[in-house]
């Protein structure tokens, strides 16, 4: 599993080890379930007519921290995530929102790779 995860640009040995150790069920769940377990899914703070802001919460904190660092590396080295980061920055999103969105996308990619059992390859443009 770690070898498959290491094929993703931005996922290093520490990130791969944490994903395998902290989320053994990765590859057998949906992308939304994986994001919720890692604490990368937005949780609304509202009730009735009151609309609050959404923030990430819960999940596995250590894994979320490692994915945050991996997303910083992927922003420079992953050709699938560079356009996402650029697009969100152009829309005026705060830096941390961009990194969390990339973390979630990285986790989704990792889940898909473990599901298929194939190494990462960039999608043709």
């Amino acid at each position: 599993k770690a070898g498959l995860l290491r094929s993703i640009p931005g996922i290093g040995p520490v990130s791969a080890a944490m994903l395998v150790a902290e989320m053994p069920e990765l590859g057998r769940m949906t992308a939304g379930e994986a994001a919720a377990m890692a604490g990368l899914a937005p949780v609304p703070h509202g009730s009735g007519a009151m609309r609050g802001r959404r923030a990430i919460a819960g999940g596995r904190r250590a894994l979320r921290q490692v994915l945050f660092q991996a997303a910083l590396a992927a922003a420079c080295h992953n050709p699938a995530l560079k356009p996402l980061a650029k697009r969100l920055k152009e829309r005026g999103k705060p830096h941390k929102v961009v990194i969390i969105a990339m973390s979630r996308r990285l986790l989704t990619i990792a889940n898909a790779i473990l599901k298929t059992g194939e190494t990462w390859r960039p999608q043709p443009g």
Side-chain angles (χ1 to χ4, degrees):
K1 283 184 171 183
L4 287 171
L5 293 173
R6 291 281 313 272
S7 70
I8 305 168
I11 300 282
V14 173
S15 304
M18 280 294 287
L19 280 165
V20 170
E22 291 283 327
M23 285 188 82
E25 55 276 315
L26 196 62
R28 296 187 305 263
M29 58 177 50
T30 66
E33 290 170 342
M37 285 188 115
L40 294 171
V43 177
H45 294 284
S47 176
M50 197 275 293
R51 299 259 182 225
R53 296 185 71 151
R54 289 192 268 178
I56 58 169
R60 296 170 182 167
R61 186 174 184 190
L63 183 61
R64 183 171 58 244
Q65 292 169 343
V66 167
L67 284 170
F68 189 91
Q69 291 298 319
L72 289 172
C76 299
H77 303 291
N78 192 321
L81 295 181
K82 270 185 189 180
L84 171 69
K86 185 179 177 192
R87 190 171 57 246
L88 290 173
K89 285 178 188 174
E90 286 172 354
R91 288 175 50 193
K93 298 294 182 185
H95 179 69
K96 282 191 178 178
V97 170
V98 173
I99 299 301
I100 292 299
M102 290 176 31
S103 299
R104 183 173 175 157
R105 184 72 57 93
L106 206 54
L107 184 63
T108 302
I109 292 169
N111 188 41
I113 281 179
L114 290 180
K115 220 175 247 189
T116 61
E118 297 178 13
T119 58
W120 185 84
R121 61 184 181 278
Q123 297 295 322

